[in-house]
Amino acid sequence: MAIDEDAQRMVRFVRTRDRKVFEMLFEKYERPILAHVRRFVANSAVAEELVQEVFLRVYTTKQYRAEYKFRTWLYRVATNVCLNELRRPHHGKAHDSLDASDTHQPELPSLEAAPDARFEGQELAARVTSALERLPPKQRAAFLMVRHDGMSHEEIASALETSVSAVKSLVHRALEALRREVETATNPKLPVERAVP
Amino acid sequence: MTGKQRPDRAGLDDVLDAALAVPPADGNVDPRLAEKLATIQRDPERARKLDTALRALAVVDALPAPEPSPFLARKLARKLDDIDRRSEFWQPQWGAIRWAGGLSLAAIAVGVALLVVPPNPKSTFGPAQGSIARIERLELAEDQEIFENLDILEHLDVLDDIELIESLPEEKG
C-alpha cells in the first residue's frame, strides 16, 4: 500500500522533530480541522482551543504508524479531542460569561456570504442551518465529512472510530432530518419532526 | 416499486442515497445516477422527497468553512516553544547540569534528614546494636584463631594430646 505524502511528512517529523515539517502539515490542515471541530462545538473560541489541542497532540506524538492516511489519523485525533470536550461536565459553560451570545446562539456560517444561491430564500437556509446545528455531534460530523470534506465512508468510519454501516446510517439520518426541515418549511401543514439521534 | 420506499435494514433510503450521490457543485452526474434520478422523479411522492433532500443539500453545500483567527497559529507557536524548551532540558548537553542538580538535591535531602531525625539509642540500627555486633565479631575471630591453631597442631602430630584440645575452650571461657 502506498504511503500518502503527508503520512511520509509525519514520519519524518516524528524522526527529526523538524518544526518546519510540522508547520507544513499545520498550514495544510488548520482550516479543515477547524471546520471539523466546529461541527462538534458551536463556540468558535472553544473550537480554536481544541484545534490547538489537536495539533499539540500531533506535535508531541512519539509514534506514528504510516500505514493509515495522515488525514484519517488527524481527523481521528480531532474527533477524540472533540468527544472528550463534549464529555466534560462544564462543556459550554466556561465561555458563557465571556461571550454569552456565542454559546446560546451557535455561530452559523454567514448565509449572505454563501456563494451558491441555489436555495430559495434566506429563511429556508436559516432553518436548514439551524436544523444542522441541532443534529447530534457525530451525525453532523459524519454528514459534513461526506459533503464538505469529500471523505469516503471508510475514512469517516476510521476517523469516528465506528463501522462503515454506522457512518452510512448517520449520514442518512442527518439528511433525512434536514430534508424534513425543508419539507416543513415549504409545506407548513406538515408536522415538525425532530432529528433522531 | 411504487409508493413509499421502505428503508432497508440499515435504515438507508434509496431516494436519500441518490440525493447524496449528486455531487455538491454543478458537477457531472454519472449516467447511471441520472437514470436512477429519472426513475425516482416518475413517482410524485418520491420526486418530492428527492427535491427536498437536494434543496437541503444545496443549503449545506453552500455553507462556507469557518475562518481560523490569526491568533490561532501564533498561540500554537508559543505553546510549541514551551514544549521545545522543556524537552531541551533532557537533551545530552544538559546532562552535567542535570547531574549537578540531582546531586545537590540528594545532599540537601540527606542533610535535612539528619537534622530532622536525631539518632535513636533504642533503635535496632543504633549504637547499642552496633556494639553487640562488634563483640560478636571479635568472639568469632577469637574462635577462628583457636581452630587455626588446632590445624597447626594437627599438622605437627601432637593431636594425640586430647587434654590439650579440651583445655583450649576452657581457656577461652
Side-chain angles (χ1 to χ4, degrees):
Chain A
M1 192 173 77
I3 299 171
D4 76 300
E5 199 181 34
D6 293 329
Q8 284 177 345
R9 281 197 185 113
M10 187 60 196
V11 168
R12 198 161 79 236
F13 169 69
V14 170
R15 245 187 249 144
T16 61
R17 314 306 298 177
D18 184 351
R19 183 105 162 230
K20 278 183 186 160
V21 177
F22 174 82
E23 280 166 4
M24 278 168 76
L25 292 169
F26 173 74
E27 275 167 28
K28 186 172 176 183
Y29 289 99
E30 177 191 14
R31 279 161 199 263
I33 290 299
L34 177 66
H36 181 65
V37 170
R38 284 282 276 103
R39 289 162 200 161
F40 285 88
V41 290
N43 186 302
S44 59
V46 175
E48 291 211 348
E49 287 291 320
L50 296 181
V51 171
Q52 281 187 54
E53 173 68 25
V54 171
F55 282 99
L56 282 174
R57 284 195 189 187
V58 173
Y59 193 75
T60 50
T61 296
K62 298 270 190 295
Q63 283 181 329
Y64 173 74
R65 291 168 69 190
E67 66 242 44
Y68 299 112
K69 276 178 94 174
F70 176 76
R71 183 170 75 158
T72 310
W73 178 79
L74 185 62
Y75 271 79
R76 186 188 287 192
V77 173
T79 304
N80 285 335
V81 167
C82 292
L83 293 177
N84 283 346
E85 171 64 20
L86 293 176
R87 280 187 210 114
R88 283 165 70 176
H90 65 274
H91 168 72
K93 291 177 188 166
H95 293 264
D96 277 3
S97 56
L98 296 172
D99 192 355
S101 61
D102 199 24
T103 310
H104 293 130
Q105 196 169 33
E107 260 183 35
L108 304 175
S110 168
L111 295 168
E112 285 162 0
D116 194 343
R118 280 190 289 168
F119 47 90
E120 275 178 359
Q122 294 282 318
E123 199 189 324
L124 177 67
R127 285 188 71 157
V128 172
T129 317
S130 171
L132 186 66
E133 292 290 339
R134 287 198 306 270
L135 292 177
K138 255 191 171 177
Q139 210 177 91
R140 186 170 57 233
F143 177 65
L144 290 174
M145 281 159 95
V146 165
R147 281 320 278 190
H148 276 191
D149 303 334
M151 288 170 80
S152 70
H153 289 124
E154 287 76 16
E155 275 184 289
I156 298 168
S158 180
L160 296 179
E161 292 184 337
T162 188
S163 64
V164 172
S165 59
V167 169
K168 284 181 184 169
S169 177
L170 287 169
V171 172
H172 274 74
R173 272 189 274 164
L175 180 57
E176 178 57 14
L178 302 183
R179 191 198 68 76
R180 282 194 182 279
E181 196 66 40
V182 173
E183 205 167 62
T184 315
T186 50
N187 187 1
K189 286 175 188 170
L190 289 171
V192 180
E193 285 189 39
R194 287 269 169 198
V196 183
Chain B
M1 206 182 302
T2 57
K4 278 186 182 175
Q5 185 82 7
R6 283 188 68 80
D8 66 15
R9 274 194 300 166
L12 308 184
D13 185 298
D14 73 328
V15 176
L16 297 183
D17 218 23
L20 282 165
V22 175
D26 297 324
N28 293 329
V29 175
D30 183 67
R32 280 175 64 191
L33 175 64
E35 199 182 309
K36 195 176 179 183
L37 292 172
T39 311
I40 291 168
Q41 276 159 343
R42 269 183 229 127
D43 180 336
E45 200 178 331
R46 296 179 75 207
R48 203 185 63 235
K49 191 175 183 181
L50 178 68
D51 178 56
T52 48
L54 288 173
R55 283 162 77 186
L57 284 172
V59 173
V60 173
D61 293 342
L63 297 176
E67 284 289 313
S69 80
F71 305 109
L72 176 60
R74 248 179 282 163
K75 273 159 86 179
L76 180 69
R78 231 174 291 143
K79 285 186 179 177
L80 299 184
D81 288 342
D82 285 346
I83 290 171
D84 286 347
R85 223 171 292 133
R86 263 180 277 149
S87 62
E88 212 172 85
F89 182 69
W90 299 105
Q91 296 299 313
Q93 63 264 32
W94 288 84
I97 291 170
R98 282 202 304 275
W99 269 106
L103 288 172
S104 308
L105 281 174
I108 290 166
V110 169
V112 169
L114 287 173
L115 283 172
V116 172
V117 189
N120 182 2
K122 288 179 184 172
S123 162
T124 50
F125 302 103
Q129 192 67 24
S131 304
I132 293 163
R134 201 160 53 246
I135 292 161
E136 279 174 353
R137 272 203 306 276
L138 284 170
E139 282 178 348
L140 192 70
E142 212 173 323
D143 289 348
Q144 242 170 350
E145 199 180 340
I146 292 160
F147 286 112
E148 274 167 17
N149 290 339
L150 275 176
D151 286 344
I152 293 161
L153 291 172
E154 200 172 17
H155 285 293
L156 294 171
D157 290 325
V158 289
L159 280 175
D160 293 337
D161 193 348
I162 296 160
E163 278 180 20
L164 176 64
I165 298 163
E166 283 177 348
S167 70
L168 283 169
E170 281 169 19
E171 273 177 22
K172 183 204 158 203

